[in-house]
């Protein structure tokens, strides 16, 4: 083995050595010794020329191999460079998707989980974990039957054969939480099919409607038809505003058992927690004010007695959002009065029905006058869709609110013609750009162009722009490059209890 290796190392130089030796013999005989017989000289010259020819052939072959290796090296280098780019892109995309997944996990008011064909859990969100009162380690990789109760497991077990054949299942039933509170759930079981058409798992989406407080479910509640029949009973609901709802066609609120009186009780009893999410300037600004968007959660949501986001739709359905908005305004104004040096601007989401309430601006005026709080500390956020549907009321509200010194922001703003025309017809101070556009600007040139168009429009109108759903530093850098004034999102700050501002 060693001899073969030595021979391969010496072989390329052997012909050159022979050529040099022959050349030295010929030169020595010609000029020094002159002892070689004359008939040997032609043979020596022929051998020398033959050796030189072999050397030339070897050099040509070596050059060809070198050129080939160089080309292969360049190809490999280019491929490696592309792989590095793809890897960096993949890592960046994975990081962005992780943030989005975290956002969905923490905010999506649906119990979401993924199971393989053996009913082993491979993914679950926060709401799913909270329903069972378990930590991730108690669910990750475990069989559904190991951590769920019979009531929850039975429906999946009954439908598993249909799911594994690729059929999507829709259902509705009542389930009790671990604390004994009954909820109506809309269930969906979605099969996960690979590129060969084989079902390799399924997703479970359970959407809680609201807590049922008015009745205790019986065994018959598991029968879907009996649930629906029981939910169609007529109910007369009265409130302080003499609101009456006839349930000939049952709504989600009536199905849930939540009444308008219960909602009024929650508002009057201050059964809510306020949260705030910071909005920061990403473009140099002369203003030193701290901006926050105000968010609201009910105590029962916070204590895991009601799914997040399930209560406000009921408040809206019973047309009690103006009453809730008054509670929020009063709470914020009182805080501002108690903290005169706070120098904060609070962005308050205005409901559609509140926009129609002609007495609401007068209520704000009274609150500001009693507490001597400046109107510029309040910014009212109006959804573009609500403004488009209520142009007259929006004009009246924004005009009165500006007379009080308050600010106005148009939310979910995009570059469609209706939104652009709306900005020309209503005086606003901020345009809050739709988050579905913002989160895609690094991957979608069209969405990037939309944001540039919106910002140019805002600049011409001397209106400031706010980008929502900002999740990464790269998006912040791109928004800063465009010139967007403010940013809000999980990449900036997560919502935190409003009371923490006073500490």
């Amino acid at each position: 083995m060693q001899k073969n290796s030595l021979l391969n190392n010496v072989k390329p130089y052997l012909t050159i050595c022979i050529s040099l030796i022959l050349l030295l013999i010929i030169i020595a005989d010609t000029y020094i010794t002159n002892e070689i017989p004359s008939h040997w000289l032609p043979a020596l010259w022929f051998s020398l020329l033959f050796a030189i020819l072999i050397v030339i052939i070897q050099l040509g072959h070596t050059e060809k191999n070198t050129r080939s290796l160089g080309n292969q090296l360049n190809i490999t280098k280019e491929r490696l460079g592309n792989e590095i780019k793809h890897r960096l892109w993949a890592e960046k995309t994975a990081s962005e998707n992780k943030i989005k997944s975290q956002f969905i996990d923490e905010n999506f008011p649906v119990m979401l989980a993924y199971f393989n064909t053996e009913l082993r859990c491979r993914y679950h969100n926060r709401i799913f974990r909270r329903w069972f009162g378990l930590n991730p380690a108690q669910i990750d990789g475990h069989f559904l039957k190991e951590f769920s109760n019979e009531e929850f497991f039975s429906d999946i077990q009954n439908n598993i054969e249909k799911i594994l054949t690729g059929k999507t299942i829709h259902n509705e039933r009542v389930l009790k939480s671990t604390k004994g509170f009954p909820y109506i759930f809309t269930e969906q079981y979605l099969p996960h099919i690979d590129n060969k058409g084989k079902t390799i798992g399924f997703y479970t989406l359970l959407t809680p409607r609201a807590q049922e407080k008015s009745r205790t479910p019986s065994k018959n509640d598991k029968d879907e038809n009996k649930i629906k029949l029981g939910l169609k009973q007529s109910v007369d609901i009265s409130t302080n505003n003499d609101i009456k709802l006839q349930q000939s066609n049952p709504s989600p609120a009536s199905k849930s058992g939540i009444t308008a009186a219960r909602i009024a009780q929650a508002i009057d009893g201050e059964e809510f927690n306020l949260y705030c999410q910071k909005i920061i300037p990403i473009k140099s600004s002369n203003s030193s004010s701290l901006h926050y968007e105000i968010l609201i959660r009910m105590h029962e949501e916070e204590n895991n007695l009601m799914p997040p986001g399930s209560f406000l739709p009921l408040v809206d359905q019973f047309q009690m959002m103006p009453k809730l908005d008054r509670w929020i305004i009063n709470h914020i104004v009182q805080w501002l009065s108690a903290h005169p040096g706070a120098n904060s601007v609070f962005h308050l989401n205005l409901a559609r029905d509140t926009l129609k309430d002609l007495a609401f601006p007068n209520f704000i005026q009274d609150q500001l006058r009693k507490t001597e709080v400046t109107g510029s500390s309040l910014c009212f956020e109006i959804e573009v869709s609500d403004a488009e549907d209520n142009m007259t009321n929006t004009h009246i509200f924004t005009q009165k609110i500006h007379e009080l010194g308050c600010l106005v922001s148009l939310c979910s703003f995009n570059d469609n013609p209706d939104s652009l025309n709306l900005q020309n017809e209503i005086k606003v101070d901020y345009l809050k750009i739709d988050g579905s556009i913002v989160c895609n600007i690094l991957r979608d040139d069209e969405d990037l162009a939309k944001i540039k168009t919106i910002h140019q429009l805002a600049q011409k109108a001397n209106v400031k722009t706010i980008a929502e759903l900002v999740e990464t530093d790269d998006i912040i850098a791109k928004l800063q490059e465009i010139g967007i004034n403010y940013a809000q999102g999980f990449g900036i700050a997560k919502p935190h209890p409003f009371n923490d501002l006073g500490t």
Side-chain angles (χ1 to χ4, degrees), residues 30-69:
T30 303
Y31 297 102
I32 303 174
T33 60
N34 200 18
E35 294 180 355
I36 299 176
S38 59
H39 63 276
W40 279 66
L41 288 176
L44 290 174
W45 278 105
F46 177 79
S47 299
L48 177 61
L49 292 175
F50 183 74
I52 292 173
L53 180 62
I54 292 175
V55 170
I56 292 172
I57 293 172
Q58 286 181 337
L59 289 174
H61 184 68
T62 302
E63 184 181 357
K64 182 180 178 181
N65 289 341
T66 302
R67 198 161 42 239
S68 176
L69 289 173

Side-chain angles (χ1 to χ4, degrees), residues 168-182:
T168 299
I169 304 296
H170 296 271
N171 199 2
E172 183 180 272
R173 61 173 171 158
V174 174
L175 289 173
K176 280 186 178 181
S177 70
T178 54
K179 298 180 181 294
F181 291 89

Side-chain angles (χ1 to χ4, degrees), residues 76-262:
T76 304
K77 183 179 179 181
E78 184 177 354
R79 185 183 302 161
L80 182 60
N82 290 333
E83 289 180 356
I84 291 173
K85 288 180 182 178
H86 283 299
R87 181 177 178 182
L88 292 174
W89 175 83
E91 289 177 352
K92 183 178 179 181
T93 303
S95 176
E96 293 174 356
N97 289 339
K98 182 178 179 181
I99 294 174
K100 289 183 180 179
S101 176
Q102 181 184 4
F103 180 82
I104 293 173
D105 184 77
E106 294 187 1
N107 293 276
F108 204 44
V110 171
M111 289 170 57
L112 175 63
Y114 176 79
F115 297 88
N116 63 13
T117 55
E118 299 175 348
L119 297 185
R120 191 184 292 273
C121 188
R122 295 302 184 189
Y123 171 79
H124 47 83
N125 69 348
R126 184 171 62 96
I127 303 300
F128 187 87
R129 294 192 296 271
R130 289 180 64 180
W131 176 261
F132 294 104
L134 302 175
N135 59 48
Q138 295 172 300
I139 299 178
D140 287 338
H142 289 268
F143 291 103
L144 175 61
K145 201 168 185 178
E146 293 178 357
F147 60 83
S148 69
N149 53 35
E150 183 64 28
E151 182 187 31
F152 186 91
F153 178 77
S154 60
D155 197 53
I156 297 178
Q157 185 67 32
N158 293 336
N159 290 287
I160 188 63
E161 291 185 5
K162 295 179 181 178
I163 297 170
L164 295 181
T165 59
K167 185 177 180 180
T168 299
I169 304 296
H170 296 271
N171 199 2
E172 183 180 272
R173 61 173 171 158
V174 174
L175 289 173
K176 280 186 178 181
S177 70
T178 54
K179 298 180 181 294
F181 291 89
Y183 293 87
I184 294 177
F185 279 94
T186 300
E187 298 177 312
Q188 296 181 70
Y189 304 116
L190 308 175
H192 178 203
I193 302 174
D194 64 11
N195 54 9
K196 296 181 180 179
K198 182 181 178 182
T199 301
I200 58 176
F202 64 95
Y203 296 90
T204 66
L205 285 85
L206 287 87
T207 307
R209 294 193 176 177
Q211 181 180 359
E212 270 203 321
K213 289 197 169 189
S214 59
R215 69 184 184 89
T216 303
S218 64
K219 294 181 180 179
N220 292 332
D221 286 335
K222 296 181 181 178
D223 188 315
E224 179 181 1
N225 294 327
K226 291 184 179 180
I227 291 175
K228 292 183 178 179
L229 180 62
L231 293 174
K232 290 184 179 179
Q233 297 175 349
S234 298
V235 179
D236 288 333
I237 302 172
S238 62
T239 67
N240 295 334
N241 298 324
D242 296 327
I243 299 174
K244 291 186 178 182
L245 178 63
Q246 297 296 329
Q247 269 191 289
S248 57
N249 294 313
S251 63
S254 59
K255 289 182 181 181
S256 70
I258 295 289
T259 65
R262 170 70 186 100

Side-chain angles (χ1 to χ4, degrees), residues 265-276:
Q265 177 188 359
I267 297 173
D268 293 336
E270 299 191 358
E271 298 180 32
F272 295 94
N273 291 331
L274 290 182
Y275 280 70
C276 59

Side-chain angles (χ1 to χ4, degrees), residues 276-296:
C276 59
Q277 187 175 26
K278 200 167 188 178
I279 303 172
I280 67 163
I282 56 176
K283 182 182 178 183
S284 57
S285 172
N286 294 329
S287 174
S288 59
S289 300
L290 300 175
H291 291 251
Y292 301 91
E293 179 177 357
I294 297 300
L295 310 169
I296 187 167

